[in-house]
Structure formats: structure tokens, C-alpha cells
Amino acid sequence: MRRTRLKTRMIVTLGLLGALQTVLIGGFAGYYLSESLYDEIGQRAMKVAQTVAATPAVINGVRNRDIPALNRLAGRLAETNDALFIVIGDHQAIRLAHPDPARIGFSMGDDDGDYGRKALVEGNAYVARAEGSLGESMRGKAPIVVPGTGEIIGIVSVGYSLEQVEATIRRYNFVLYGVVGLMLLVSVIAAIVIAGRFKRAIFGLEPEEIARLFQERDATLQSVREGIIAVNRDGVITTVNRAAYETLDLPSDQPVTGRPISEILPENGLISALTSGEPDFDQEIWLRGRQMIVNRLPVRRGDTIIGVVASFRLRDELDQVSRQLTRIQQYADTLRSQTHEYSNKLHTIAGLIQIGANQEALALIGSEVSDHQTLLHLLLEAVPDPVIAGCLLGKYNRAREMGLSLEIDPDSQMRDLPEMLPREQLVGVVGNLIDNALEATRLHTGAGGRVQLSMTDLGEELIFEVQDQGPGIPEKERQRIFKKGVSTKEGEARGYGLHLVRQFLRHWGGSVTVENVPEGGSRFTLYLPKAPKKGGQL
């Protein structure tokens, strides 16, 4: 059986089970029918015997020992009641009436050994099954009692042939076995139908294949670094992997499978996905105090939503990769800008030397050295953190490459940076503000434009102020520009820088203000508390 296919096994198993049940029920029904018929015939024989024993003609015939009259009466009564025989005996069980005249005058006990003690001594009617001179029969026996005195003067035995009973049983059994056979056929057909539907429900897979797929699925779920949770249509958790326990900081000793998702993650969004049926991708949400990137995908069976699968991972992991790429890009931009700028300056110096303008070449060299030395001295004194200083130096060179200038307030300082503040995120936020300022200035003012940056760490907050010479930002747009995908500049892949700024501020508890300056352009002022306060405002 193990080598056969599941459908064949199910058909055989269900068919045998149905056949066994049908045979058992049929056998019990046949046995119960037979016993019921035997009991019914016995009760009928006893009732007829009691009726005959109470007949006055029988009582008088036995009292007077009128054998001819009793035989005539017994014959008529036997024919009337479809009985095999009616035998009448006296108080000593000596036959006075019998279908076979040769047995009259002999004891009734020579047939079956029953001398009628229950009737003649105890005065009770009863039923007996015995083999007599007329064949096997079901007999009912009753005492003949004289009315008034209660004297028992004889006994009446009424018999019905068991051949008649068995013929009736055979007739009923024929119908019963026909029904049993039909039920057996229906059981086999039902087994085939059920096996076919079950096979389709499991996509035609064999049990071994299902077990293997389950093991593979479990191994896949546990090997995925993203947390995965699946719920059914009722919002009950059906699947959760180890990464979900670790990412959500769930207690590993308390299984969550089988519990409502609302108890584990009240603000999960899976219930809304069940209702709407719309998938969500790369949604940024907070779960259990952590910022996550979440994907939600409804599971459908036909047009019916039967559950939702959600995958999520910490935003910090994605940010770390993004920050590494951003840092590499910044380094590359810085090197490219410096290479381009110094290449132009070297060509200029070489040209001045070739035409004999040595003093001018020396002045240009001194100017370049002086500018960079001033900037480097300012950054070393005011911004000892190498990550932030390197970012500002790169933006400075980037501005010069664009024909602009990035002016850093000489009174700026940023020495008191909290250790817990992620430098990569801070660089990303400040760098986005500077990049936006440079782009706005280039488009509106052109070459020679200026972007001003001032920083201070005095007090309880870190403050960065970036001012550009762009067209300014209308008041009605100042909140909207922080939404994902919204930008005042044309082109694709825009509108993400300020959105990242907002996300960081919300996590750290900072804020940013936007205003237009009278001389033209806009000013972004960033406030970051030195101790994080969740729930910053824009």
C-alpha cells in the first residue's frame, strides 16, 4: 500500500471501511430481523393458545373428555389461525386432541420432553421452540383453567412451523441484502469521489511530497533574514519564523502561533490588508518601538482572500547599506570634484609659467593653498568628527565644481556630538539639505551663487542652518515638500531627500523649520536634541 498512490490508497481504504460498516450493519439488521420474527411468532402462538384455552367449548370438552369434539374444534381453530397444529391435553399432559390420531392418548412430553409443568403446575403461559413429530416449530402453551374455581384441568399447545418463519426471513433478507449491496456500491463511489476531490485540494501531491515541501518551506522561512508573519482570514497567526521573534523582540518561550495578530502587534496593518485586498510594498512603520520596512501581500484562493503574509526588517539595516553606498558616492564625488578642480588649476598654472607670468602663477598657488588651509583649519577646530568634516569638505568641493561657493560660518562649532547619534544618518540629513540648497542656487542664480552653512552645539540642541539663493518656497508648500515623492524640481527619482530628513527627525525627536529670507532664497534650520526624544515634529 505504501508504494501505491494516495488516491488509490484512499479509494481502497474508504471502500473497505464502507464495506465493513455496511456488512456489519447488514448482519446486525438481519440478525435483529430474524430474532424479531421468531419472537413475534412465539408471542402469536402463546396468544392463540391462551385464547383457545379460554374457549368454553374447549373447557367443557376437556372436563367431559369429549375427544371427537375437541379434535374437530382444534382442527378448525388451527386452520383459522394458520397454525401448524393445536394440541389439547388433560391435567396430566395426555393428548386429547392432535392432528395425528395415532398420538392421541399419549403424553405430550414424548415430542420435546416438555410436560408442560409451567402451565399445569405454575399456571403460566409460555413460549418454547422444539422439534416435534410435525417438524421444528415455535410453540405457545397455556393452561386450561375452570372459571370461578381456578382449577387447572388441561393444557393447550399451539405451534407455528419455523419453515414459514424462515421463508419470511429469506424474503426480508433478499430485500435487505439488496439494500446492503447498493450501500456498498455507493460507498465505493463515494470513496472515489472523495479521494479525487481530496487529491485536487492538495494540488495532486502525494503525502511524502507534502512532507518534503513542508520541511523545505520551514527551512526556507527560518533561513530568511527578514521577519515573516502570516495570518488567516480571521486575523489569527498561522506562521512565524525565528527572524520575526528576533526583529520584534518577542519572547521565545511564548509561542504566538494560533493567537490573534492584534494581541501581538496592535498596529500591524495586516487586518486592513485583509479588508482591502491591496498589497503594500516598502511601507515604513513603527512596530514595538522600532522603525521597520514592511511588505504585505494578501493570499487569495480564487477571488477570496484567505490570509495575509507580511515580511519586515529593521529600517536601520537598510539604512546602513544605504549610508554605506551614500558615503562611497560622497567620497567618489569628492575625489572627482577635487580631481577636476585641481586639473583645471594645474593647467592654468602650467599656462602662466609657459608665458612667463611666474608671479601670477605663484599668487594663484598661494590663493588655493590659503583657501583650503583656512577651510581645513576651520573644520579641524570646529568639527573634530571626521565623518562630518569629510562630508562638509566634499560638499565644499562639489559647490566649487558647480561654480558656486559653500560658505561655512567661521563662528560655527560642532564638538559636543552625543555618542548615540548615528553619524551616517546625521551626514545624510545635513548632506541632503546642502545638496538641495546647491541645486536651488544653481538653477536660480547660476554661477557665483552662494550657499551658507552655520552650526552650533551650544545648549541642549544641535542646530544646523542652511541658506540658499534659490527662488524660495511658497508657504503652502513648506509642509508638503517633506512628503515622499514630492519635489519642486522636475525629473524622476525626486522627492526622497527631505522625506528621509523627516523620517530621521521623527525617530530622533528633532524638528526643522523652513522660511524665506528677505534677500532671496530659503533657510532650513535643523534642531536635534542631544538626547533623543521620540516623536519629533516638522
Side-chain angles (χ1 to χ4, degrees):
M1 286 291 289
R2 292 183 178 178
R3 297 180 179 179
T4 58
R5 300 183 66 83
L6 175 62
K7 185 174 181 180
T8 305
R9 277 184 275 175
M10 289 189 65
I11 292 173
V12 173
T13 303
L14 293 176
L16 290 177
L17 181 61
L20 179 61
Q21 291 178 337
T22 303
V23 170
L24 290 177
I25 292 174
F28 174 77
Y31 174 78
Y32 181 76
L33 175 63
S34 300
E35 293 300 314
S36 297
L37 286 175
Y38 285 132
D39 184 65
E40 181 183 350
I41 293 299
Q43 293 298 319
R44 181 180 177 185
M46 187 176 67
K47 293 295 183 184
V48 173
Q50 289 175 325
T51 302
V52 172
T55 303
V58 173
I59 295 173
N60 291 331
V62 172
R63 179 182 292 174
N64 299 325
R65 299 187 71 82
D66 189 352
I67 294 176
L70 288 174
N71 277 277
R72 289 192 300 270
L73 181 59
R76 289 198 305 269
L77 292 175
E79 184 179 356
T80 302
N81 291 280
D82 293 329
L84 178 62
F85 61 83
I86 293 179
V87 176
I88 301 174
D90 60 11
H91 66 286
Q92 293 181 345
I94 301 299
R95 298 187 187 96
L96 300 178
H98 191 280
D100 185 2
R103 291 185 173 271
I104 296 174
F106 295 95
S107 173
M108 296 174 65
D110 60 7
D111 272 345
D112 54 7
D114 182 8
Y115 293 92
R117 269 181 202 285
K118 287 184 179 180
L120 293 174
V121 177
E122 300 174 9
N124 296 325
Y126 63 96
V127 177
R129 180 175 177 176
E131 180 77 32
S133 58
L134 298 178
E136 190 176 11
S137 61
M138 187 67 72
R139 303 176 181 186
K141 297 185 178 184
I144 302 173
V145 181
V146 178
T149 64
E151 180 187 0
I152 299 175
I153 62 173
I155 184 173
V156 175
S157 177
V158 178
Y160 283 89
S161 174
L162 289 184
E163 291 184 0
Q164 297 175 344
V165 178
E166 292 171 354
T168 304
I169 292 174
R170 285 194 296 270
R171 186 170 65 252
Y172 287 160
N173 283 344
F174 179 78
V175 177
L176 177 63
Y177 294 150
V179 173
V180 168
L182 181 61
M183 290 177 61
L184 181 59
L185 178 62
V186 170
S187 298
V188 174
I189 294 175
I192 295 174
V193 173
I194 293 173
R197 292 193 174 184
F198 183 80
K199 189 72 172 178
R200 287 193 297 272
I202 59 175
F203 303 101
L205 299 175
E206 295 296 315
E208 296 78 8
E209 294 175 324
I210 296 175
R212 186 175 65 254
L213 288 175
F214 175 80
Q215 293 172 343
E216 292 175 356
R217 189 212 67 162
D218 188 65
T220 302
L221 283 176
Q222 303 307 332
S223 65
V224 173
R225 294 184 59 188
E226 290 189 348
I228 296 177
I229 290 181
V231 300
N232 60 17
R233 69 181 70 187
D234 299 321
V236 176
I237 298 175
T238 57
T239 302
V240 57
N241 66 348
R242 282 194 299 267
Y245 277 94
E246 297 170 358
T247 304
L248 298 174
D249 196 22
L250 298 174
S252 58
D253 58 340
Q254 298 180 6
V256 299
T257 304
R259 297 173 60 185
I261 186 67
S262 56
E263 293 183 4
I264 308 302
L265 301 172
E267 298 178 359
N268 56 82
L270 292 178
I271 302 300
S272 61
L274 272 174
T275 305
S276 65
E278 296 296 328
D280 293 325
F281 298 104
D282 299 329
Q283 296 296 312
E284 300 178 13
I285 64 174
W286 286 86
L287 290 176
R288 299 177 70 88
R290 299 182 177 186
Q291 191 177 19
M292 306 279 183
I293 303 297
V294 179
N295 298 293
R296 307 183 190 94
L297 185 65
V299 180
R300 299 178 182 271
R301 180 182 294 163
D303 296 330
T304 305
I305 299 175
I306 61 174
V308 176
V309 176
S311 64
F312 47 88
R313 67 185 305 167
L314 292 173
R315 171 64 188 270
D316 294 344
E317 296 179 6
L318 297 178
D319 284 347
Q320 184 176 2
V321 175
S322 177
R323 288 192 296 268
Q324 290 175 350
L325 293 176
T326 301
R327 187 185 301 177
I328 293 173
Q329 184 178 3
Q330 290 175 348
Y331 290 160
D333 290 342
T334 299
L335 293 175
R336 182 170 55 84
S337 299
Q338 290 180 342
T339 301
H340 185 268
E341 181 181 1
Y342 287 124
S343 176
N344 291 334
K345 295 295 175 61
L346 287 175
H347 288 310
T348 303
I349 293 172
L352 290 174
I353 293 175
Q354 288 178 356
I355 63 175
N358 297 331
Q359 295 297 325
E360 288 78 0
L362 291 173
L364 180 60
I365 293 173
S367 173
E368 286 298 315
V369 171
S370 175
D371 290 345
H372 276 83
Q373 287 296 327
T374 300
L375 177 62
L376 289 174
H377 180 75
L378 173 62
L379 292 178
L380 289 174
E381 289 292 329
V383 189
D385 188 279
V387 177
I388 299 177
C391 172
L392 297 180
L393 181 60
K395 298 303 179 184
Y396 175 83
N397 292 322
R398 173 65 176 163
R400 296 189 63 176
E401 182 184 1
M402 296 171 66
L404 308 174
S405 62
L406 174 62
E407 299 180 356
I408 301 177
D409 189 344
D411 294 328
S412 296
Q413 69 173 28
M414 192 57 60
R415 300 188 183 94
D416 190 15
L417 290 173
E419 291 294 331
M420 66 184 69
L421 179 64
R423 302 300 192 267
E424 292 84 358
Q425 292 190 18
L426 179 59
V427 165
V429 169
V430 175
N432 274 319
L433 294 180
I434 295 175
D435 286 340
N436 287 344
L438 292 173
E439 187 72 13
T441 301
R442 183 182 67 83
L443 293 176
H444 185 70
T445 304
R450 296 180 305 160
V451 172
Q452 296 174 309
L453 169 66
S454 65
M455 304 171 290
T456 180
D457 57 0
L458 300 178
E460 299 298 323
E461 293 181 312
L462 306 177
I463 302 175
F464 296 85
E465 187 177 275
V466 180
Q467 180 176 323
D468 61 48
Q469 291 182 334
I473 300 175
E475 186 174 354
K476 63 180 181 180
E477 296 289 330
R478 293 176 188 174
Q479 292 296 327
R480 185 170 173 269
I481 57 175
F482 289 95
K483 293 182 179 180
K484 187 175 183 179
V486 175
S487 175
T488 58
K489 299 182 286 291
E490 297 181 355
E492 298 181 357
R494 299 282 189 175
Y496 292 93
L498 292 180
H499 171 70
L500 294 176
V501 172
R502 181 183 68 172
Q503 292 296 107
F504 173 72
L505 293 177
R506 282 183 173 177
H507 176 63
W508 191 259
S511 62
V512 61
T513 62
V514 184
E515 58 183 338
N516 291 335
V517 294
E519 58 268 26
S522 57
R523 180 187 297 124
F524 286 74
T525 306
L526 188 70
Y527 301 90
L528 288 175
K530 294 181 179 180
K533 300 176 183 177
K534 182 181 176 182
Q537 300 295 323
L538 296 180

